[in-house]
Amino acid sequence: MNSFLWKIGGEAGFGIMTTGLAISKLATRSGHQIYDYAEYPSLIRGGHNTYDVLISTDKVSATKHEIDLLICLNKATFELHKHRLSATSTVVYDPDEFVIEGEYHLVPIPFKKIRTEHNAQVVMMNTVAIGASVALMDGDINLYFTQIEEEFTRKGSEVVEYNKTFARLGYDEVKKNFSQYIQPVLKKQSEVTERMVMTGNEAFSLAAVAADCRFYSAYPMTPTSAVLGILAGWAEKTGMVVRHAEDEVAVINTALGASFGGVRSAVGTSGGGFALMVEGISYAGIAELPLVIFLGQRPGPATGMPTWTEQGDLLFAVHAGHGEFQKIVLAPGDIEEMFELTVKAFDLADMYQLPVIILGDKLLCESHQSLETEKVTTFTASYQPNYGKTVRTPSEQPYLRYNITDDGISERLIPGFEGVYYQANSYEHLEDSHTTEEAAPRIAQVQKRSRKWQTYLKNDFAKPTIYGDFAKAEKVLVSWGANKGILLEAQKKAKEQGIEFAYLHFTHLYPLDTELVASYFTENKQYILVENNSEAQFGKLLRAEVGIDLKEKWLKYDGRPWYVEELVEKLKIRFPPTRE
Amino acid sequence: MSTTQDFSGYGGTWCPGCGDWAIGMAIKQAFVQLELTPSSLMVFFDIGCSGNMNDYLNAYAMHGLHGRSIPTALGAKLANHTLRAVVVGGDGGIYGEGGNHFLHACRGNHDITVIVHDNGVYGLTTGQVAPTADKGYRSKSTPAGIIEFPANPLALALSQGASFVAQSFAGDLPHVVETIKKGVSHKGFSLINILQPCVTFNKVNTYQYYLPKVYKLDESYDPTDLREAFHKTNESLEEKFPLGVLYQVSRPAFHEEVSHLPADISLGMRPAFTQLEALIKQFV
């Protein structure tokens, strides 16, 4: 089946987010796969919210332009989206609120009248809309009833029945009067694989628990605020200590303290908060303290566009911190990579005793995607944390915290062992951790720390992933992070139209293995860099670190993600069909 | 039984006559008298002359960033609460650069002892004004005299919920030792503000200046009386400096109120959580 785009829009505060997630879960439980994406302004009431759910029998990883079913909870939704409708698009709206002119499959449902008749709250319109949506997509209403029971049973059976009533109203209205517009989108699949519906924030949180992270501190900031709530909500169960600190400076220093104290620690933020943490990252660098930093990007500078998406902080993350020191920057491209790379980040932080930055963006942090439950359970069943050279008993005495070693990694003792002591020193230090300003030990420590990167590049750096036939491909699109999903969808769509390209997807962004990465760039291919920023930041990084200068760049920086159709259009213009 | 020698690392780098020598000695004596060892506690050094005690005092330690010794201390305490945590810093780091952390650590009643060297100047950067300097104090950064009113850390700590607030004077070593012992023994947030003459850069708040103006709180003083404690904190306006425990009340410390943190086993030592299935359910 082709993918089907369901979309709802309405005033902020109407319950759009909950409604969208309900459809995502319903589709997933019917055996389908979803990708969802919400747009909302940075305010609580009054603006316009929308929620896309793309539904398919196959894996989907980006939304699309054309809307198949649009639920308009107000007139603005229709006006803002009519350019994305076709003659076969279905539009659900309230005929008492506004009139629609044009050729669509019109499904007028008197939301307001239903509300008034039942003296119901505004949010109940959503429940009616879900009922109607389930009918229009030929879904099983009982699956939705189960969701209602899961959500409201604790509030009593009356509340459950009340919600079901409204869902049934919408459902019956479609079945009775608009059966001609019903499409078999949600028909239950014969085999239903259990899948989770997860955002990047949720995948990060679950992975942090799986990786035995025991301390998380943060200060709320979109788009990673949800992590703080999720981990705090789980804390009683997991035993993790979660602290909402007074500011991001405290956030990172508290986490560094916890790391020194002997537990895996992490922080989460966005660009502005990250800016305040930068001095702490430098401290982690010289004191060689493990730390995982989750940086969810949004458009800056300064407050920028808080609830929108951009990849504008890559170079900031790479260069964050005064002085020269080692860090690792990883950028997952989807929910599955978010889970795996987050777990890996905790291992790397311990193994190399340095800060590891997980770079996400609003698109990845807040969009839901389906992920097979088994993928996570299988992964975690065999997972053993790699604590590297972290010890509770020193292997030899006198203990030297910053012992000069060939691989650059010294034994890190967790405080408490009797008869030994040392400092996590922000000053340059001797092997025994005492402060020094002498030239020789300075050089020795700088070189020791630098060798950690060489060890990492040799053992744990991951080369870019290739999608498509790289050997044959004449055209190669190069990108990173959440663009992955969009490029993979574009790859399918473009192929249908006779344009084939390979996609080079980078996740291990810094440091880069010069020779290995350079080997992917050859004379006989045309490379196009695709980024969600205005400065081609990964392009600059490639040029600086690898010496590769990608001349052709497609950049988007309006706060919106790339759309699949948009990329396909650009490909068609760039590579017109050759005339015989 | 440990000795002060066990706690002694490299020699100090302070000016002859600096109050930091007395505080450094007092900290070691207090630790010995409390029967602590260098491996049984964590010390968090701020940046400044005070923090340069890092190479002079042996312990599991973080010598971190200027103003950030308090957040590192409370993070380490939460991770490893079976070890004691002591912060050593100056008035610039604790009340200036780290002022926000200070007031929130008081609110949280984190079980850390904060020892502040209060000398009214930035010594290590050669004599700029610090937040506790009197209004009108002339320094390199305030040649015409500081415009701001002096910070009142004792009153600030009281108003933000610190459960132990004390003051001592570097010119009275035994008193510093006793006060540190009380503060380190206290469960919860303890502030020990130590009046510490900077012999090189502060020509006003000298030993001679303080000697006639300090006085010890006597046995009739009730340290559980918050109203009286607030009254005492304002005596600095009249150039009177009460020494001793101004306020002490018993309240659960932050880590004790984290319900899922076991009392006798540190966060790092408890078994790992492995019931991931329980969390996965909510996403299905």
Side-chain angles (χ1 to χ4, degrees):
Chain A
M1 186 193 88
N2 279 331
S3 51
F4 184 92
L5 180 58
W6 173 95
K7 182 160 191 163
I8 190 168
E11 195 182 318
F14 275 23
I16 303 291
M17 301 294 173
T18 326
T19 309
L21 181 56
I23 294 290
S24 285
K25 278 211 167 180
L26 191 80
T28 305
R29 287 177 178 188
S30 312
H32 295 77
Q33 307 212 44
I34 63 99
Y35 179 88
D36 76 21
Y37 168 70
E39 286 186 345
Y40 60 99
S42 180
L43 42 76
I44 300 302
R45 289 298 295 264
H48 193 255
N49 284 9
T50 67
Y51 201 114
D52 290 37
V53 182
L54 194 75
I55 304 164
S56 173
T57 45
D58 302 323
K59 186 172 174 147
V60 274
S61 50
T63 187
K64 63 170 192 162
H65 188 76
E66 188 179 322
I67 300 166
D68 298 293
L69 170 54
L70 181 66
I71 313 284
C72 308
L73 292 186
N74 61 16
K75 193 180 178 191
T77 305
F78 178 74
E79 294 299 331
L80 289 167
H81 297 92
K82 58 185 176 191
H83 66 287
R84 289 175 59 183
L85 298 170
S86 77
T88 55
S89 299
T90 306
V91 182
V92 176
Y93 70 107
D94 188 339
D96 301 326
E97 292 287 296
F98 60 97
V99 179
I100 293 182
E101 284 170 17
E103 289 291 311
Y104 311 106
H105 293 173
L106 292 177
V107 179
I109 291 182
F111 290 111
K112 201 170 181 185
K113 210 166 113 198
I114 294 172
R115 250 188 77 198
T116 321
E117 278 170 10
H118 291 79
N119 194 23
Q121 288 175 301
V122 181
V123 289
M124 297 316 293
M125 281 163 50
N126 294 286
T127 316
V128 176
I130 294 172
S133 300
V134 173
L136 283 165
M137 296 189 286
D138 204 14
D140 179 357
I141 192 70
N142 289 312
L143 281 178
Y144 181 54
F145 287 166
T146 307
Q147 283 176 250
I148 291 177
E149 284 157 18
E150 286 167 3
E151 195 178 343
F152 295 112
T153 298
R154 61 192 164 84
K155 291 188 179 174
S157 57
E158 273 180 36
V159 180
V160 170
E161 284 313 311
Y162 184 73
N163 276 274
K164 284 184 182 176
T165 307
F166 284 90
R168 208 173 273 120
L169 280 170
Y171 185 81
D172 291 346
E173 180 70 15
V174 169
K175 286 280 182 187
K176 205 167 76 189
N177 300 321
F178 303 101
S179 59
Q180 70 272 28
Y181 297 142
I182 292 174
Q183 290 172 271
V185 178
L186 286 182
K187 246 196 171 6
K188 198 159 181 178
Q189 299 290 293
S190 50
E191 268 184 58
V192 177
T193 309
E194 190 186 282
R195 292 194 179 89
M196 297 181 285
V197 175
M198 266 193 156
T199 61
N201 282 335
E202 289 163 345
F204 174 86
S205 304
L206 193 66
V209 174
D212 198 25
C213 169
R214 300 187 183 198
F215 187 89
Y216 182 77
S217 67
Y219 187 93
M221 187 166 190
T222 305
T224 59
S225 308
V227 176
L228 180 58
I230 295 164
L231 292 176
W234 289 344
E236 285 279 336
K237 249 185 231 165
T238 60
M240 187 185 289
V241 171
V242 179
R243 182 168 185 256
H244 169 175
E246 60 270 21
D247 55 39
E248 285 88 349
V249 181
V251 164
I252 192 162
N253 283 285
T254 309
L256 289 174
S259 177
F260 170 74
V263 299
R264 286 191 160 181
S265 304
V267 302
T269 188
S270 187
F274 184 76
L276 294 180
M277 295 183 182
V278 165
E279 191 190 16
I281 297 171
S282 181
Y283 177 33
I286 192 165
E288 304 196 49
L289 292 164
L291 184 70
V292 171
I293 300 158
F294 183 30
L295 167 54
Q297 301 163 99
R298 66 191 216 189
T303 314
M305 288 161 62
T307 58
W308 300 81
T309 201
E310 194 167 276
Q311 298 181 309
D313 293 334
L314 169 61
L315 290 178
F316 179 35
V318 161
H319 298 302
H322 57 294
E324 298 172 313
F325 62 94
Q326 292 65 37
K327 68 167 85 72
I328 294 169
V329 181
L330 306 175
D334 55 24
I335 303 301
E336 192 176 347
E337 284 182 4
M338 176 63 88
F339 187 86
E340 289 179 8
L341 288 180
T342 300
V343 173
K344 184 174 182 181
F346 281 99
D347 283 348
L348 293 177
D350 270 349
M351 290 158 67
Y352 297 102
Q353 303 174 18
L354 43 63
V356 180
I357 297 169
I358 297 276
L359 202 55
D361 54 23
K362 187 266 181 186
L363 183 65
L364 180 57
C365 288
E366 297 195 340
S367 293
H368 292 89
Q369 216 174 343
S370 339
L371 177 63
E372 289 75 16
T373 309
E374 207 194 342
K375 277 195 177 157
V376 169
T377 49
T378 312
F379 180 88
T380 49
S382 62
Y383 171 70
Q384 282 296 327
N386 187 339
Y387 298 105
K389 295 188 190 174
T390 310
V391 296
R392 291 189 179 277
T393 305
S395 62
E396 55 184 333
Q397 291 198 39
Y399 170 69
L400 296 174
R401 169 65 187 96
Y402 300 108
N403 191 22
I404 302 293
T405 57
D406 290 341
D407 61 6
I409 307 161
S410 319
E411 197 168 88
R412 186 172 73 94
L413 176 67
I414 292 173
F417 184 80
E418 194 52 48
V420 174
Y421 48 81
Y422 71 89
Q423 311 170 39
N425 202 342
S426 73
Y427 280 79
E428 190 56 273
H429 35 255
L430 303 167
E431 287 184 277
D432 71 1
S433 77
H434 280 293
T435 307
T436 187
E437 292 177 359
E438 296 298 317
R442 159 69 174 178
I443 292 167
Q445 288 295 326
V446 168
Q447 291 177 344
K448 177 194 94 78
R449 290 192 293 266
S450 176
R451 284 198 294 276
K452 295 197 294 189
W453 257 353
Q454 294 162 26
T455 310
Y456 161 77
L457 288 174
K458 200 168 67 194
N459 299 334
D460 290 292
F461 173 77
K463 57 184 197 262
T465 314
I466 295 165
Y467 294 91
D469 190 341
F470 188 75
K472 278 195 197 152
E474 291 166 4
K475 315 169 189 54
V476 179
L477 268 57
V478 180
S479 195
W480 60 281
N483 295 339
K484 175 188 178 184
I486 301 148
L487 278 151
L488 293 185
E489 294 293 330
Q491 198 174 38
K492 278 187 258 175
K493 286 248 158 47
K495 194 174 178 180
E496 288 166 13
Q497 305 193 29
I499 301 173
E500 291 197 46
F501 66 86
Y503 169 46
L504 207 48
H505 173 63
F506 283 84
T507 53
H508 291 55
L509 301 189
Y510 190 75
L512 286 168
D513 184 319
T514 305
E515 275 182 44
L516 186 62
V517 172
S519 70
Y520 287 86
F521 295 90
T522 56
E523 294 278 320
N524 55 353
K525 296 185 196 297
Q526 287 171 300
Y527 294 88
I528 299 171
L529 178 72
V530 181
E531 295 197 57
N532 209 180
N533 58 44
S534 71
E535 294 279 337
Q537 296 195 17
F538 185 63
K540 285 186 179 176
L541 193 63
L542 276 179
R543 201 164 69 210
E545 299 290 318
V546 188
I548 298 294
D549 189 7
L550 297 182
K551 301 271 190 236
E552 197 162 355
K553 307 166 183 87
W554 291 354
L555 306 170
K556 184 171 178 181
Y557 41 88
D558 59 358
R560 277 78 178 159
W562 279 98
Y563 292 114
V564 176
E565 291 85 348
E566 195 176 14
L567 274 178
V568 174
E569 276 311 304
K570 282 185 86 74
L571 283 161
K572 278 158 70 178
I573 294 165
R574 175 67 180 77
F575 304 107
T578 43
R579 293 209 179 90
E580 292 297 320
Chain B
M1 188 66 188
S2 61
T3 64
T4 53
Q5 201 51 42
D6 295 333
F7 284 99
S8 298
Y10 295 12
T13 52
W14 301 305
C15 306
C18 173
D20 287 356
W21 290 105
I23 299 171
M25 182 49 68
I27 289 174
K28 288 177 195 173
Q29 287 184 13
F31 287 169
V32 167
Q33 289 176 30
L34 289 170
E35 298 186 1
L36 296 169
T37 65
S39 309
S40 71
L41 80 160
M42 302 184 287
V43 182
F44 302 86
F45 297 100
D46 215 279
I47 297 296
C49 290
S50 56
N52 278 353
M53 197 184 290
N54 72 311
D55 291 310
Y56 174 59
L57 178 69
N58 294 334
Y60 282 111
M62 291 183 90
H63 193 193
L65 303 166
H66 184 60
R68 316 306 171 202
S69 50
I70 286 179
T72 51
L74 60 89
K77 182 72 188 181
L78 284 168
N80 210 336
H81 70 259
T82 51
L83 299 184
R84 283 176 210 251
V86 176
V87 168
V88 175
D91 43 337
I94 304 293
Y95 306 141
E97 185 93 39
N100 199 26
H101 310 313
F102 173 69
L103 79 90
H104 291 283
C106 292
R107 286 178 54 223
N109 199 33
H110 292 272
D111 189 17
I112 61 175
T113 299
V114 179
I115 299 171
V116 183
H117 302 220
D118 176 1
N119 60 15
V121 291
Y122 284 74
L124 198 57
T125 50
T126 69
Q128 300 80 3
V129 73
T132 48
D134 284 333
K135 184 168 171 61
Y137 181 83
R138 290 171 194 274
S139 76
K140 279 187 182 165
S141 57
T142 55
I146 183 169
I147 293 167
E148 288 96 329
F149 201 71
N152 187 334
L154 300 173
L156 179 62
L158 283 178
S159 70
Q160 298 308 311
S163 55
F164 181 105
V165 177
Q167 185 157 259
S168 192
F169 171 47
D172 186 344
L173 179 68
H175 188 268
V176 182
V177 174
E178 283 311 306
T179 312
I180 290 173
K181 278 166 65 183
K182 286 176 188 165
V184 173
S185 304
H186 174 76
K187 180 74 70 74
F189 186 88
S190 49
L191 169 68
I192 302 168
N193 188 66
I194 304 178
L195 305 169
Q196 174 252 321
C198 170
V199 294
T200 305
F201 295 109
N202 188 333
K203 303 299 184 194
V204 178
N205 308 106
T206 59
Y207 288 102
Q208 290 71 25
Y209 167 85
Y210 279 120
L211 274 169
K213 297 183 174 72
V214 297
Y215 73 97
K216 286 174 189 163
L217 295 168
D218 63 23
E219 284 181 8
S220 68
Y221 180 78
D222 176 8
T224 64
D225 185 341
L226 184 62
R227 195 181 292 257
E228 185 56 22
F230 267 116
H231 177 69
K232 286 286 170 201
T233 64
N234 281 325
E235 287 185 355
S236 56
L237 296 172
E238 303 150 29
E239 294 191 279
K240 276 167 71 184
F241 301 95
L243 303 181
V245 180
L246 275 73
Y247 185 66
Q248 183 170 17
V249 68
S250 179
R251 244 176 54 211
F254 189 97
H255 70 271
E256 294 174 318
E257 293 214 57
V258 178
S259 57
H260 55 276
L261 207 53
D264 51 346
I265 176 164
S266 71
L267 183 62
M269 291 302 281
R270 65 149 177 74
F273 172 82
T274 52
Q275 308 302 309
L276 213 63
E277 288 77 14
L279 307 178
I280 285 173
K281 261 190 223 149
Q282 76 182 74
F283 300 111
V284 176

